[in-house]
């Protein structure tokens, strides 16, 4: 049995006072959640604050990105070891917004996964197709290519320590959600791609669904056999919505 994992991606949102009430609200509901991993990923600068608030609780903290480099002349970058140092346990990598807006290629994402693993972080590796790609029947080819880069750069064994998030780009920030069947099909395909390399890893890897998951649609998505949790955008900015999704996953 795979342990469900629900992670909030706050994106470019947050402020010290707001973060505190949001995290305290989440922590209020956490004791009722059993058998599930829960984390939130604020912007870099708020990782230490959230790590402090969540200290000694079951709420994990992650970053939304990290550099593929360890240190040096890379102005504006943040190394994986630095986010680990200030209390992060997870890092979201290859989110479609970073692939589309910041030029992150499959190879860069793979190098970031390597850096994150070396720093002891759990990468949350995002994969998924755009609307044009889906309409051109290229969903499987895109997801296969995105996974292959990380497998070739890090080896299949690395997936022992990676969480995958399937995020159809057309369902991110659009209010559109993949149907449970559409999501399940791609989750099963992802597991099948890993099974071509290692059946045990394919069975144990956790695959989250991301893309407008809300309390109202979470239960149906999470009931699918290959959906092991959620990577939550907007609904992670309200404690009650986020906890509602966590309860559906637990
Ligand atoms: C969304 O649901 O909007 C996301 O991008 C989650 O990462």
């Amino acid at each position: 049995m795979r342990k469900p994992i629900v992670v909030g991606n706050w994106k470019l949102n947050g402020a010290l006072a707001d973060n505190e009430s949001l995290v305290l609200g989440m922590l209020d509901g956490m004791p009722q959640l059993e058998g599930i991993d829960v984390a939130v990923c604020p912007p870099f600068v708020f990782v230490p604050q959230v790590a402090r608030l969540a200290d000694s609780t079951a709420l994990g903290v992650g970053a939304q990105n990290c550099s593929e480099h360890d240190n040096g002349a890379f102005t504006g970058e943040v190394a994986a070891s630095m986010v680990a140092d200030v209390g992060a346990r997870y890092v979201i990598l290859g989110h479609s917004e970073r692939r589309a807006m910041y030029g992150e290629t499959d190879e860069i994402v793979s190098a970031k996964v390597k850096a994150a693993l070396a720093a002891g972080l759990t990468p949350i590796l995002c994969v998924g197709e755009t609307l044009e790609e889906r309409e051109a029947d290229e969903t499987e080819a895109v997801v296969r290519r995105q996974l292959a880069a990380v497998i070739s750069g890090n080896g299949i064994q690395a997936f022992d320590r990676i969480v995958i998030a399937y995020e159809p780009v057309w369902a991110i920030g659009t209010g559109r959600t993949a149907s449970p069947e559409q999501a399940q099909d791609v989750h099963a395909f992802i597991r099948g791609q890993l099974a071509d390399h290692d059946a045990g890893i394919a069975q144990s890897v956790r695959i989250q669904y991301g893309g407008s998951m809300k309390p109202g649609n979470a239960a149906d998505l999470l009931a699918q056999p290959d959906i092991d949790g959620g990577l939550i955008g907007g609904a992670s900015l309200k404690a009650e919505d986020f906890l509602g999704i966590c309860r559906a996953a637990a």
Side-chain angles (χ1 to χ4, degrees):
M1 265 305 279
R2 296 179 293 268
K3 189 177 188 187
I5 175 164
V6 176
V7 175
N9 174 10
W10 290 3
K11 307 193 181 185
L12 187 56
N13 295 289
L16 288 172
D18 298 345
N19 302 342
E20 179 156 348
S21 52
L22 177 55
V23 171
L24 293 180
M26 289 177 178
L27 289 174
D28 260 356
M30 292 278 300
Q32 293 122 45
L33 299 172
E34 295 223 342
I36 173 179
D37 288 330
V38 182
V40 289
C41 299
F44 284 130
V45 291
F46 298 130
V47 169
Q49 178 205 15
V50 175
R52 239 182 348 265
L53 290 167
D55 189 29
S56 307
T57 74
L59 182 65
V61 184
Q64 300 169 19
N65 179 29
C66 70
S67 173
E68 64 272 44
H69 304 289
D70 291 336
N71 50 50
F74 301 101
T75 301
E77 288 292 274
V78 177
S81 58
M82 296 172 186
V83 290
D85 211 16
V86 295
R89 298 215 315 261
Y90 300 92
V91 60
I92 299 169
L93 294 174
H95 190 280
S96 62
E97 287 155 11
R98 298 220 49 93
R99 291 181 191 260
M101 294 190 263
Y102 300 96
E104 291 195 9
T105 62
D106 294 332
E107 288 65 37
I108 292 173
V109 173
S110 174
K112 290 183 176 206
V113 167
K114 188 179 284 289
L117 290 170
L121 296 170
T122 298
I124 298 173
L125 168 65
C126 301
V127 297
E129 82 288 2
T130 62
L131 185 58
E132 298 73 59
E133 289 162 342
R134 174 161 282 264
E135 285 174 346
D137 220 4
E138 288 169 358
T139 299
E140 293 189 351
V142 169
V143 170
R144 184 187 299 117
R145 192 201 70 222
Q146 291 170 334
L147 286 172
V150 178
I151 296 171
S152 100
N154 295 273
I156 189 69
Q157 293 305 323
F159 282 79
D160 241 356
R161 295 161 57 205
I162 291 174
V163 172
I164 298 173
Y166 168 57
E167 298 211 313
V169 181
W170 47 274
I172 292 181
T174 60
R176 286 180 67 177
T177 317
S179 70
E181 295 72 25
Q182 282 174 322
Q184 166 59 25
D185 282 351
V186 183
H187 281 235
F189 175 77
I190 291 170
R191 218 178 282 292
Q193 289 297 297
L194 299 182
D196 287 347
H197 298 266
D198 187 307
I201 292 212
Q203 270 319 303
S204 60
V205 74
R206 295 184 290 178
I207 309 175
Q208 302 175 305
Y209 170 79
S212 305
M213 194 187 263
K214 314 180 243 302
N217 60 23
D220 286 345
L221 287 157
L222 291 161
Q224 300 298 314
D226 287 298
I227 300 185
D228 307 313
L231 183 58
I232 317 302
S236 71
L237 298 172
K238 290 202 185 109
E240 216 18 75
D241 287 354
F242 187 64
L243 288 168
I245 295 170
C246 293
R247 281 191 290 270

